């Protein structure tokens, strides 16, 4: 027991914990529950057995007697406050504490010289005059983000915060804002907090419209929880929800700061109808009636693409409308161009195509195998968790042609040749088998196909395949040993695995590795696709696929179809519909005459944009539902203005199968409408009964039809939501799949022969992907200050390839392929190996997908964005 101010409390880890357990108020400037104790600010000094000690760093020992308030402590704190005010112009919590201790700033002369404020960063402001040297910023940057931007230089009165560059904008900052959140003095302030000074506490503001709303981020598939603070009808600031399981209060620069697009002047605020070759404003009634009339005229020749940016409820209504209202299974979603191979490969191996484990298992793993995923840029908050796991001692193996941030800190980096994934994964499996590291009991009890698989895989030696993979055989063998000998090896993969000619088969090969290691069905392991868009998992869950009804029930299953027919009151087509590439081909042939594109800018994001545009231009009716006049919307006959994720209610399902609430922080812009209301109106106008546009009621309908969502309702999604399958109302959800069995019974060990892509092995191979600052087509982030952080696209090219072509760093270049041409400026860098170049797809002016082609995954029709033979020349 410990005595705090005469009250007995149970022993705790530190005296600060014990004091708080006793209900005693102890000031602390450098304390944060997410960080290790610092002991820098000395504000938390208490008397312990007659001595002054820092409560945050002093271990609590049985029998201690602690005082948190005494005349000696009050005098000490008053003097500490005077020193703070002499050494800084501290504001915020530090200034309030100093004033509360009775400090006036008059006892000591100002000891620190005035220093200029740094306003070079679009989001963060650095005012060193306010710095109290608490080191919270340094610790948050290191212990949460893992970026190590900050350090302290000098000694004594000359000690100052530094960041390794002349201007803060030139530092290694990734704009997560974690430093601004923890800074107690205003030395680091973000623009939202600076603009909102005095707004964020209701008792300090006259604004009657101040409120905060918890919702889910509308960017990547991590599904971070946000506390969106609203004042004056606008987003005032966004914080991460401290208690959220997904992000634990942390956010990336997009989630925290890139919200200006929501009220951007280029937002669509009226339906547009093409008249005389021009898009002109129209009334909602006219636009809805026109779309319904034209779709009825073209019935039997229409197709739809749903939106991974929109809610589960909206995606559910979209596929319901096409199937029950328009009589077609020609409906797809953008999973087709990203993780359809994950679903296909994992479904073949396990019986279901979603992540087997939770993001929280990153902390439980002792080895992380990251394959074809630039996690710190495409999934930044998950990337930060991976870095923290490595800092705590977890091993890291990265498979990627590029030297990504994680590859630079990995124990092993397997720099596979683009297109060589299947060969490499087979070589890894062979090395596991040859080293005697197979979990024989797991394979015997829970897998099938070993008798056929073993002789096949023993022939796939790292030495025999080295010429294909580009990875030295000894490195492959070391990686295999690290993975299979770890107690809890966790695998994560991204589009560098899926967007290939053998994407689905490569995923099956990764599943083979997990089966061989027995790394399934328990904490800290598994096969986990990192979903790119905020609700790409949910769109697939909702049945926005041509062969699947909600909950992954097959359209050619009479029982599943009968359940939906009974609920929807319509007979449904029994034959699977066309996938997206087949839709385009049918449009070019004149078989598809009308398309509805819901929240997707396919002209920019889909491959071979010339052919995509050609297909859309052949249509008699193209309807686009969007926030902005995107490249695709410019081709439309009708454009319908929808609402952003901050303006609607519903749910998203993140990459770990977690169903979470989306709540409107703002009303839609006048003239626009929530997408669910637009869809319900279109359904009614099309003669498809849809009694409600209430998201909660729609989720209740989903729960009745999709077995994996059967126990889901809005009341149960408060807090951290639920991870499917949720088979009934008593189920707590399923954080870990396949604990005792697989949906197909036993896992299948798949024999996969390497088959080179048509573009494999060219002199120069283009790989496309994401960058940290932008999101997909960039329609949102390029309308925020993120455009300052990354104003243009850069083609990464190895110095040897650049020199051979006379290309200097920063010079404009032409990228040519058999499909078209794109232009960008060069970034000469060893981040890519010789023979490989990299370009993002976020910039319409670059037109990266003008050069990507029509090669697709052999099973799922996902485009091969990662292997395009190109030639580069000075522009």
């Amino acid at each position: 027991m410990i005595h705090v101010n005469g009250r007995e409390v149970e022993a705790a880890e530190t005296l600060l914990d014990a004091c708080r357990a006793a209900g005693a108020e102890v000031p602390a400037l450098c304390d944060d529950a997410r960080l290790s104790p610092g002991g820098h600010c000395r504000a938390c000094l208490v008397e312990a057995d007659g001595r002054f000690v820092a409560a945050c760093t002093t271990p609590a020992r049985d029998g201690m007697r602690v005082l948190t308030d005494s005349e000696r402590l009050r005098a000490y704190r008053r003097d500490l406050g005077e020193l703070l005010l002499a050494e800084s112009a501290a504001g915020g919590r530090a200034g309030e504490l100093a004033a509360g201790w009775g400090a006036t700033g008059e006892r000591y002369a100002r000891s620190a010289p005035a220093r200029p404020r740094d306003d070079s960063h679009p989001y963060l402001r650095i005012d060193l005059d306010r710095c109290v040297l608490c080191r919270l910023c340094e610790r948050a940057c290191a212990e949460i983000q893992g970026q190590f931007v900050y350090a302290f230089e000098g000694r004594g009165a000359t000690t100052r915060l530094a960041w390794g560059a002349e201007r803060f904008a030139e530092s290694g900052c990734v704009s997560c804002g974690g430093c601004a959140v923890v800074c107690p003095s205003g030395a680091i302030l973000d623009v939202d907090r600076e603009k909102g000074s005095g707004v964020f506490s209701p008792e300090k503001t006259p604004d009657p419209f101040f409120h905060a709303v918890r919702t889910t981020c509308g960017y990547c598939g991590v599904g971070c929880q946000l506390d969106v603070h609203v004042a004056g009808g606008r987003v005032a600031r966004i914080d991460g929800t401290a208690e959220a399981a997904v992000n634990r209060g942390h956010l990336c620069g997009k989630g925290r700061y890139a919200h200006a697009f929501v009220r951007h002047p280029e937002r669509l605020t009226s339906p547009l109808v093409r008249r005389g070759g021009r898009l002109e404003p129209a009334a909602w009634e006219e636009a809805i009636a026109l779309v319904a009339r034209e779709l009825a005229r073209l019935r039997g020749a229409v197709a739809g693409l749903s939106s991974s940016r929109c809610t589960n409820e909206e995606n559910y209504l979209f596929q319901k409308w096409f199937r029950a209202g328009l009589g077609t299974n020609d409906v797809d979603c953008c999973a087709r161009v990203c993780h359809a191979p994950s679903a296909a490969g994992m479904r073949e191996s396990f019986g279901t195509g979603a992540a087997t484990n939770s993001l929280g298992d990153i902390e439980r793993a002792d080895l992380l195998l990251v394959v074809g995923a630039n996690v710190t840029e495409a999934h930044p908050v998950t990337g930060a968790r991976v870095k923290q796991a490595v800092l705590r001692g977890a091993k890291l193996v990265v498979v990627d042609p590029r030297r990504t941030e994680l590859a630079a800190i990995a124990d092993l980096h397997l720099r596979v040749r683009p297109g060589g994934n299947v060969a490499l994964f087979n070589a890894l499996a062979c090395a596991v088998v040859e080293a005697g590291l197979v979990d024989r009991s797991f394979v015997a009890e829970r897998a099938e196909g070993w008798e056929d698989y073993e002789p096949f895989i023993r022939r796939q030696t790292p030495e025999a395949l080295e010429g294909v993979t580009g990875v030295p055989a000894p490195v492959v063998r070391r990686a295999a040993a690290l993975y299979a000998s770890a107690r809890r090896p966790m695998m994560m993969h991204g589009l560098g695995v899926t967007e290939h000619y053998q994407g689905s088969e490569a995923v099956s090969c990764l599943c083979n590795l997990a089966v061989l290691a027995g790394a399934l069905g328990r904490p800290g392991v598994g096969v986990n696709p990192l979903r790119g868009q905020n609700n790409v998992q949910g769109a697939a869950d909702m049945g926005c696929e041509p062969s699947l009804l909600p909950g992954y029930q097959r359209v050619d299953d009479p029982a599943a179809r009968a359940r939906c027919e009974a609920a929807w009151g319509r007979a449904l087509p029994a034959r699977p519909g066309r996938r997206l590439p087949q839709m385009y081909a049918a449009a070019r042939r004149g078989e598809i005459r009308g398309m509805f594109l819901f929240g997707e800018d396919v002209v920019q994001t889909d491959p071979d944009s010339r052919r995509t545009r050609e297909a859309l231009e052949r249509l008699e009716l193209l309807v686009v539902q969007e926030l902005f006049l995107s490249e695709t919307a410019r081709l439309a006959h009708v454009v319908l203005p929808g609402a952003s994720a901050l303006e609607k209610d519903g749910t998203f399902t993140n990459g770990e199968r977690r169903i979470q609430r989306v709540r409107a922080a703002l009303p839609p812009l006048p003239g626009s409408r929530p997408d669910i209301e637009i869809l319900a109106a279109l359904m009614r106008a099309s003669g498809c009964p849809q009694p409600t546009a209430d998201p909660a009621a729609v989720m209740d309908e989903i729960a009745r039809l999709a077995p994996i969502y059967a126990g889901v309702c809005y009341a149960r999604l408060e807090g951290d939501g639920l991870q499917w399958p949720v088979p009934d109302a008593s189920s707590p959800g399923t954080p870990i799949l396949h604990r005792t069995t697989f949906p197909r019974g036993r896992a299948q060990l798949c024999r996969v022969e390497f088959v080179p892509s048509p573009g494999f092995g060219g002199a120069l191979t283009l790989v496309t992907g994401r960058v940290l600052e932008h999101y997909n087509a960039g329609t949102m982030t390029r309308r925020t200050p993120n455009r300052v952080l990354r104003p243009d696209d850069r083609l990464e090219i190895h110095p040897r390839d650049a020199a051979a072509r006379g290309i200097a760093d920063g010079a404009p270049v032409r990228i040519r392929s058999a499909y078209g041409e794109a232009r960008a400026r060069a970034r000469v860098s060893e981040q890519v190996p010789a023979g490989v170049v990299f370009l993002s797809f976020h910039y319409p002016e670059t037109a990266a997908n003008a050069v990507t082609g029509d090669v697709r995954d052999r099973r799922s029709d996902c485009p091969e964005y990662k292997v395009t033979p190109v030639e580069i020349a000075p522009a």
Side-chain angles (χ1 to χ4, degrees):
M1 300 294 289
I2 295 176
H3 298 263
V4 178
N5 299 334
R7 179 181 174 184
E8 286 190 345
V9 295
E10 292 289 339
E13 186 173 346
T14 67
L15 285 186
L16 186 59
D17 296 329
C19 291
R20 287 173 174 168
E25 186 174 329
V26 177
L29 281 177
C30 69
D31 175 64
D32 188 290
R34 298 169 296 171
L35 305 176
S36 59
H40 301 295
C41 72
R42 317 309 286 176
C44 69
L45 259 62
V46 295
E47 284 194 60
D49 298 331
R51 296 183 302 112
F52 278 3
V53 296
C56 69
T57 58
T58 302
R61 296 191 303 272
D62 193 45
M64 275 184 159
R65 296 184 177 275
V66 179
L67 292 176
T68 64
D69 187 38
S70 67
E71 186 58 42
R72 291 176 66 206
L73 280 170
R74 287 192 291 272
Y76 164 79
R77 289 171 182 153
R78 185 166 55 251
D79 201 46
L80 177 63
E82 295 288 358
L83 286 168
L84 282 177
L85 297 178
E87 294 173 353
S88 70
R93 187 159 49 92
E96 291 171 5
L97 272 179
W101 294 333
T104 62
E106 298 173 354
R107 181 170 182 180
Y108 301 110
R110 182 71 189 273
S111 60
R115 288 159 290 198
R117 177 170 135 148
D118 189 314
D119 289 348
S120 61
H121 193 280
Y123 293 123
L124 296 168
R125 304 289 180 256
I126 313 293
D127 186 352
L128 294 182
D129 277 351
R130 291 176 172 264
C131 181
V132 296
L133 305 180
C134 69
R135 298 178 183 261
L136 267 176
C137 57
E138 178 189 39
R139 290 157 55 216
C141 189
E143 296 180 29
I144 298 174
Q145 180 59 36
Q147 208 63 26
F148 299 94
V149 169
Y150 296 110
F152 284 82
E153 61 184 16
R155 296 175 64 85
T158 65
T159 303
R160 66 188 291 272
L161 180 65
W163 46 82
E166 184 69 24
R167 301 163 66 245
F168 186 73
E170 297 161 358
S171 72
C173 176
V174 293
S175 309
C176 75
C179 54
V181 171
V182 298
C183 179
S185 66
I188 304 176
L189 198 64
D190 63 37
V191 290
D192 289 344
R193 283 168 171 75
E194 186 172 49
K195 290 175 185 174
S197 296
V199 171
F200 300 122
S201 299
E203 65 272 12
K204 292 185 178 180
T205 175
D207 184 355
F209 302 107
F210 172 88
H211 63 282
V213 175
R214 177 172 174 173
T215 189
T216 304
C217 183
Y219 281 111
C220 80
V222 175
C224 292
Q225 292 296 283
L226 313 178
D227 293 330
V228 182
H229 301 260
V230 176
R234 302 180 71 89
V235 174
R237 88 164 187 254
I238 295 178
D239 290 326
T241 304
E243 63 274 17
V246 171
N247 56 309
R248 300 175 298 187
H250 193 41
L251 293 174
C252 76
K254 293 189 289 288
R256 190 184 302 279
Y257 296 126
H259 53 75
F261 75 90
V262 177
R263 290 295 185 257
H264 195 278
E266 293 178 2
R267 277 284 301 275
L268 295 169
T269 56
S270 169
L272 303 175
V273 171
R274 190 169 295 279
R275 301 187 183 97
R278 297 180 57 184
L279 286 169
E280 297 179 348
W284 271 105
E285 294 74 13
E286 177 191 357
I288 294 290
L290 174 61
V291 172
R293 185 171 64 249
E294 286 297 285
L295 288 174
R297 180 178 69 84
L298 299 173
R299 186 181 178 91
V302 297
L305 181 68
S306 79
S307 178
S308 296
R309 291 158 54 200
C310 292
T311 65
N312 287 322
E313 295 76 8
E314 290 159 350
N315 280 286
Y316 170 81
L317 287 191
F318 187 84
Q319 61 82 37
K320 175 183 176 181
W321 175 36
F322 268 77
R323 289 185 163 115
L326 303 177
T328 181
N329 283 321
D330 285 352
V331 59
D332 211 344
C333 69
C334 83
R336 182 64 52 207
V337 299
C338 59
H339 270 292
S342 289
M346 294 177 73
R347 196 174 293 127
E348 180 180 18
S349 296
F350 303 147
T352 189
T356 63
N357 286 64
S358 304
L359 292 174
D361 281 333
I362 292 171
E363 281 81 46
R364 300 180 181 96
D366 59 354
L367 178 134
L368 295 161
L369 175 58
V370 177
V371 189
N374 189 359
V375 189
T376 57
E377 297 212 32
H379 308 85
V381 171
T382 297
R385 293 179 86 155
V386 171
K387 288 195 286 185
Q388 293 306 319
V390 173
L391 289 168
R392 288 191 299 269
K395 298 292 185 184
L396 175 63
V397 177
V398 172
V399 178
D400 203 295
R402 299 172 70 217
R403 185 174 169 81
T404 62
E405 184 178 0
L406 290 184
I409 65 170
D411 294 271
L412 285 175
H413 176 200
L414 281 61
R415 210 161 194 178
V416 63
R417 180 173 290 124
N421 285 341
V422 165
L424 177 62
F425 303 159
N426 279 341
L428 285 165
C430 176
V432 169
V433 173
E434 289 188 345
L437 295 173
V438 174
D439 186 333
R440 296 279 179 174
S441 61
F442 186 91
V443 170
E445 294 168 11
R446 302 201 53 196
E448 61 188 18
W450 171 251
E451 293 76 13
D452 290 334
Y453 179 77
E454 183 186 17
F456 161 77
I457 205 64
R458 284 186 180 276
R459 296 192 298 271
Q460 313 298 311
T461 66
E463 290 76 13
L465 294 171
E466 187 174 315
V468 175
T469 67
V471 183
V475 176
V476 174
R477 292 190 181 278
R478 287 203 301 274
L482 279 174
Y483 177 76
S485 60
R487 289 177 300 156
R488 295 180 301 280
M490 183 176 186
M491 186 188 300
M492 293 176 279
H493 71 268
L495 304 186
V497 173
T498 60
E499 291 179 344
H500 282 279
Y501 182 60
Q502 283 191 286
S504 298
E505 293 159 289
V507 172
S508 292
C509 290
L510 291 178
C511 295
N512 289 342
L513 275 173
V515 171
L516 294 177
L520 292 160
R522 53 191 174 91
V525 298
V527 180
N528 299 284
L530 296 171
R531 295 285 187 162
Q533 294 194 62
N534 54 302
N535 200 36
V536 66
Q537 179 70 59
D541 293 352
M542 293 301 104
C544 293
E545 295 193 18
S547 62
L548 298 172
L549 295 165
Y552 303 100
Q553 303 170 96
R554 294 190 57 82
V555 298
D556 55 8
D557 177 352
R561 206 166 57 250
R563 281 192 294 272
C564 291
E565 288 172 340
W568 299 343
R570 297 290 179 88
L572 301 180
R575 190 172 66 182
R578 296 177 177 95
R579 295 169 173 175
L580 182 59
Q582 297 162 349
M583 293 178 191
Y584 292 148
R588 287 190 288 267
R589 294 192 301 267
E591 297 168 10
I592 292 289
R593 298 160 61 198
M595 285 189 76
F596 195 116
L597 303 181
F598 179 27
E600 298 293 345
D601 188 5
V602 297
V603 170
Q604 187 172 336
T605 60
D606 282 20
D608 196 358
S609 54
R610 178 183 62 83
R611 295 279 282 166
T612 301
R613 183 182 291 269
E614 179 185 316
L616 300 183
E617 289 174 341
R618 288 288 307 274
L619 296 170
E620 297 175 38
L621 175 69
L622 174 61
V623 184
V624 175
Q625 194 160 312
E626 255 294 0
L627 301 179
F628 298 95
L629 196 63
S630 65
E631 298 299 303
T632 305
R634 295 177 192 278
L635 303 178
H637 300 95
V638 181
V639 181
L640 303 175
S644 76
L646 293 176
E647 301 165 327
K648 62 174 67 175
D649 289 307
T651 58
F652 292 153
T653 303
N654 76 348
E656 57 174 0
R657 300 170 284 103
R658 189 184 298 272
I659 309 155
Q660 300 183 110
R661 285 281 280 114
V662 176
R663 300 175 180 86
L666 298 169
L669 278 178
S672 67
R673 291 185 180 180
D675 298 273
I676 197 168
E677 293 182 11
I678 300 172
L679 292 171
L682 286 166
M683 293 173 76
R684 289 190 289 268
S686 302
C688 179
Q690 179 54 40
T692 179
D694 174 55
V698 174
M699 177 53 76
D700 291 342
E701 183 177 328
I702 294 166
R704 290 193 292 272
L705 293 178
I708 60 174
Y709 278 64
V712 176
C713 65
Y714 275 22
R716 299 195 67 211
L717 294 179
E718 294 301 317
D720 285 326
L722 294 165
Q723 289 172 269
W724 67 254
V726 189
D728 55 56
S730 64
S731 169
T734 312
I736 298 174
L737 297 180
H738 318 317
R739 280 188 177 271
T740 58
T741 188
F742 294 93
R744 67 182 309 280
R746 286 171 171 256
Q748 176 67 51
L749 285 165
C750 302
R751 289 178 44 167
V752 181
E753 295 276 4
F754 169 68
V755 180
S757 159
F760 179 73
L764 207 55
T765 299
L766 172 68
V767 174
T768 65
R770 293 183 169 95
V771 297
L772 172 66
E773 295 82 3
H774 291 298
Y775 172 76
N776 279 30
T779 52
M780 298 190 299
T781 50
R782 286 186 293 105
R783 291 175 172 89
T784 74
N786 276 36
R787 69 185 180 277
V788 178
L789 292 170
R790 181 79 70 134
D792 60 5
D793 211 352
R794 295 292 169 122
L795 178 87
E796 290 178 6
I797 184 169
H798 189 272
R800 192 168 76 201
D801 294 324
R805 292 161 176 79
I807 293 169
D809 188 56
V813 295
R814 289 197 311 269
I815 306 108
R816 284 180 173 168
S817 74
Y819 306 97
E821 179 179 304
R823 295 192 176 220
R825 291 188 178 274
R827 178 173 176 258
V828 180
S829 168
E830 293 188 355
Q831 189 165 349
V832 289
V836 175
V837 293
F838 173 84
L839 193 64
S840 87
F841 56 84
H842 305 299
Y843 299 83
E845 59 271 24
T846 300
N849 281 312
V851 298
T852 54
D854 61 357
V855 178
R856 300 193 295 272
D857 173 47
R858 303 196 304 171
R859 295 183 184 173
S860 72
D861 274 335
C862 177
E864 184 171 55
Y865 291 105
K866 307 304 186 191
V867 180
T868 303
V870 294
E871 187 45 77
I872 312 296

